Amino acid sequence: MKKSDKINPSATQTTIQFLGFPMAKRKRKRKRIESGEIVLPEAIIHHIQSFMTGKEAAQTSVLSKHWYSAWSTRPNLDFDNRDFPSRGSKKCDDRLKDFAKKTIQRYEELNLTIESIGLRVDWWQKRRLSHFNELVLNAIQMGSTDLKLHLMDPTTFFSLPKELLGSENLVRLSAIGCTIDLGVNGKVSWSKLKSLSLQRVYFEGDVICDIILSCPLIEELLLSDCFFKVHVSNNVPIRRSRMLILNANLFELRKLKCLSLKKVKIDTSFFCDLSSKFPCLKDLTVDDCSGYKAVQISSPSLERISFVVQKKMLKASFEVPCIRKFTFTGLVLPRLSFGTSSFVWKWESDISITCSGNSHDRLTRSWFVKLKKFLVNLSPSRISLTFSVNINCQDSFRYIQGLAKPPIVDNLRVLIGARSLDSCALLNGLFLSCRPKLISFTGGKADNDFLKLLCERLLGHLRDIKKANVEFYDENLSEWGLPLPLKTLLDGYPENKQSIRLKLIWG
């Protein structure tokens, strides 16, 4: 090699720097790779930690100094009293208070922003209310747009601060176990709020509509177990709590996509005009609400509908052309109907029926005829039916009249707690009401006596059945095994209550 051909180290380093890869940086990168550490940008680490609880996020700080630095500056804070058990004379709420105070002070000194803050306290001393109030105010002042408050002391309610009610930058609010008091001339200013979840919240007066109307951009609304306080007498300062009453005629939410109502009072008229009041609504959940006996819903936007009914619902009618999933859980079957416009594509229905032996859910011939008609109205969908029975029944149900051909059920989940003698009668009623493709069992396991009755019923008394197989779940492979003839169960039932399911083919 000629002298002129020798490589100039300084020139090479200059070239590398020119290309954007300084020599020193290249060496550091190689060293990190050799040590097995992949350095992620702090923003990505913050994003990962935002999906964790405060305790889980703290545990990531031991991974490396980069994760520790990201944990100590993360914009998503979570204070949970379950992470601070009492130690000696220091109670749980004392330790939580000290940790939260030090954390907020450090964020203020470093001029850091708090995007979201979660606070969960299941019990506290009354003197701690001022500290919780200060913590919420600090979060608002430091730019927090997402608040999750879970304060469930059985004797004392935390009243949302006036500054929080007037926070124009708030985007998401979840409050459990709080009180909302607007005062005499108070008002709510949540012009940017998109998600509002209120559970076990007490309102000072019937102000719920005023609050909802202050959220023109709201997309998600959940109201559960809420009450409002009223004065019984003007002369005597006695108050009484009444269940929250919701009337759709008092407000409209043009951007609402998800509406969930639980244990509130609504009347039948609430469902009549959903398409005009909530034109963008896609998800509707009604769980154990009162005040209505019939449901009539027409909405071109609804995709998912869920009803949990503890009392009698007489009739339910739906015109929902974009339906994708319908869920019903209850003790009583309503008269159900779906408009023909709802059958644009195959959709899913998940039905759960529990029979406990009350007068309204007593198993008779007419009950199984009603079940049959109920399933026929859902037949354009893929039906999953969970049938839970804990009553005795002496009727054989051999001759159920009403409809010629039982509807197909994709998955039948069975939980029967009645005596074995009565289980056979219940199976007769079920197989005359539907034709399941798959029979599974709640928890994946079934009693051997019940399996014997089921096998005998499937193999000997059902003329329409073409093939019946059984599948065993392999815990080691975490998958279902190959289908075996149903007679395999008669030769020997699974040991240790191994999970099984039956596959049926009907003629």
Side-chain angles (χ1 to χ4, degrees):
M1 180 182 292
K2 297 180 181 181
K3 186 176 181 180
S4 58
D5 295 331
K6 291 183 179 180
I7 299 175
N8 187 345
S10 60
T12 303
Q13 185 170 355
T14 304
T15 304
I16 294 175
Q17 291 175 345
F18 177 78
L19 293 174
F21 297 93
M23 179 85 64
K25 185 174 181 180
R26 188 180 179 188
K27 289 181 179 179
R28 287 198 304 270
K29 184 177 181 181
R30 181 169 63 247
K31 184 177 179 181
R32 288 171 183 170
I33 294 176
E34 290 173 355
S35 65
E37 179 188 349
I38 300 176
V39 180
L40 297 175
E42 190 174 76
I44 293 181
I45 298 179
H46 283 163
H47 184 68
I48 295 173
Q49 291 174 336
S50 68
F51 294 98
M52 304 176 181
T53 64
K55 185 176 181 179
E56 292 170 342
Q59 291 171 343
T60 65
S61 63
V62 301
L63 295 177
S64 71
K65 63 180 181 180
H66 303 286
W67 281 84
Y68 177 82
S69 176
W71 170 75
S72 62
T73 60
R74 70 197 191 283
N76 310 102
L77 298 181
D78 185 25
F79 303 112
D80 192 328
N81 70 312
R82 295 172 297 181
D83 299 333
F84 297 88
S86 299
R87 289 183 181 176
S89 60
K90 271 205 168 185
K91 299 297 183 182
C92 166
D93 57 337
D94 287 324
R95 295 190 62 214
L96 174 64
K97 175 188 75 69
D98 293 342
F99 178 78
K101 186 175 181 179
K102 291 179 181 178
T103 301
I104 294 297
Q105 286 178 348
R106 178 164 54 83
Y107 272 61
E108 288 177 335
E109 292 171 358
L110 296 175
N111 197 25
L112 297 175
T113 300
I114 300 178
E115 294 178 1
S116 69
I117 187 168
L119 175 63
R120 171 166 181 155
V121 185
D122 296 317
W123 179 88
W124 66 83
Q125 298 179 15
K126 193 171 182 179
R127 57 191 176 90
R128 295 286 177 245
L129 286 175
S130 59
H131 171 70
F132 299 151
N133 191 78
E134 181 182 355
L135 182 63
V136 172
L137 293 180
N138 286 336
I140 295 173
Q141 294 169 359
M142 298 174 70
S144 179
T145 60
D146 186 346
L147 291 181
K148 304 180 187 68
L149 307 176
H150 186 130
L151 302 164
M152 289 300 297
D153 187 86
T155 59
T156 308
F157 283 90
F158 175 74
S159 183
L160 297 185
K162 295 291 191 298
E163 292 82 356
L164 173 60
L165 299 178
S167 177
E168 294 282 358
N169 294 323
L170 200 61
V171 176
R172 300 178 62 89
L173 173 63
S174 174
I176 303 177
C178 302
T179 297
I180 297 181
D181 184 3
L182 300 185
V184 179
N185 298 317
K187 63 178 182 177
V188 179
S189 300
W190 289 336
S191 59
K192 295 182 181 180
L193 196 72
K194 291 186 177 181
S195 177
L196 176 62
S197 176
L198 302 177
Q199 302 179 60
R200 299 183 184 180
V201 170
Y202 283 80
F203 300 95
E204 291 290 343
D206 189 8
V207 296
I208 182 61
C209 289
D210 296 334
I211 293 175
I212 293 176
L213 287 173
S214 70
C215 315
L217 301 182
I218 194 167
E219 297 179 0
E220 298 178 0
L221 175 62
L222 185 150
L223 300 174
S224 174
D225 242 344
C226 295
F227 297 84
F228 67 94
K229 298 179 180 180
V230 295
H231 289 275
V232 177
S233 172
N234 292 329
N235 299 323
V236 183
I238 300 177
R239 293 186 177 185
R240 180 178 299 168
S241 298
R242 295 182 181 177
M243 182 178 290
L244 180 65
I245 302 175
L246 210 58
N247 190 338
N249 295 327
L250 298 180
F251 60 88
E252 60 179 37
L253 302 173
R254 310 297 298 179
K255 296 183 179 294
L256 189 67
K257 296 179 180 178
C258 180
L259 175 62
S260 181
L261 306 174
K262 182 177 181 180
K263 292 185 179 180
V264 297
K265 190 172 183 179
I266 52 181
D267 54 28
T268 302
S269 63
F270 180 86
F271 303 103
C272 294
D273 200 18
L274 289 184
S275 59
S276 61
K277 296 293 183 182
F278 316 126
C280 296
L281 189 64
K282 293 182 179 294
D283 293 82
L284 174 64
T285 299
V286 180
D287 186 348
D288 197 15
C289 294
S290 62
Y292 72 96
K293 292 185 177 180
V295 175
Q296 185 176 1
I297 293 178
S298 176
S299 172
S301 61
L302 266 178
E303 296 181 1
R304 287 163 291 272
I305 302 173
S306 177
F307 275 86
V308 179
V309 180
Q310 301 296 335
K311 297 181 180 180
K312 197 170 184 180
M313 186 169 73
L314 298 177
K315 185 178 180 181
S317 175
F318 302 96
E319 287 283 349
V320 280
C322 292
I323 185 70
R324 293 188 178 274
K325 186 168 184 179
F326 174 74
T327 304
F328 179 86
T329 302
L331 304 175
V332 183
L333 292 171
R335 294 195 300 271
L336 187 68
S337 66
F338 281 83
T340 54
S341 60
S342 302
F343 305 150
V344 177
W345 52 63
K346 201 71 173 177
W347 44 287
E348 297 179 5
S349 55
D350 191 350
I351 310 301
S352 181
I353 305 298
T354 301
C355 298
S356 57
N358 296 325
S359 58
H360 56 266
D361 62 355
R362 185 174 299 161
L363 295 181
T364 60
R365 285 184 176 87
S366 60
W367 190 92
F368 280 103
V369 171
K370 186 183 295 185
L371 173 62
K372 200 173 185 181
K373 292 180 178 179
F374 182 85
L375 296 175
V376 165
N377 288 324
L378 291 169
S379 57
S381 67
R382 294 186 294 270
I383 304 174
S384 293
L385 173 62
T386 300
F387 188 61
S388 302
V389 183
N390 194 27
I391 58 176
N392 295 326
C393 188
Q394 301 296 333
D395 202 322
S396 62
F397 304 121
R398 292 179 181 175
Y399 306 103
I400 296 182
Q401 305 296 326
L403 295 172
K405 188 176 181 181
I408 295 294
V409 170
D410 286 68
N411 186 15
L412 173 63
R413 296 182 293 268
V414 184
L415 177 61
I416 295 182
R419 295 180 302 177
S420 299
L421 178 65
D422 303 322
S423 297
C424 187
L426 295 172
L427 288 175
N428 288 341
L430 272 177
F431 287 128
L432 289 169
S433 302
C434 66
R435 290 286 187 258
K437 292 181 179 180
L438 184 71
I439 299 179
S440 57
F441 306 93
T442 304
K445 302 174 178 65
D447 179 75
N448 284 341
D449 291 336
F450 176 69
L451 279 177
K452 182 179 179 180
L453 287 172
L454 181 57
C455 291
E456 291 175 351
R457 186 75 179 90
L458 291 172
L459 294 175
H461 303 286
L462 293 176
R463 293 176 297 176
D464 296 339
I465 195 167
K466 284 188 175 182
K467 184 183 290 187
N469 292 326
V470 59
E471 293 180 350
F472 296 89
Y473 189 75
D474 192 325
E475 297 286 351
N476 296 324
L477 299 177
S478 298
E479 62 181 23
W480 291 96
L482 296 174
L484 302 172
L486 191 58
K487 292 182 179 179
T488 307
L489 283 178
L490 294 177
D491 297 335
Y493 294 103
E495 298 180 358
N496 300 323
K497 292 190 177 295
Q498 184 179 2
S499 298
I500 66 170
R501 64 184 185 184
L502 309 182
K503 277 194 172 182
L504 311 176
I505 300 178
W506 300 86

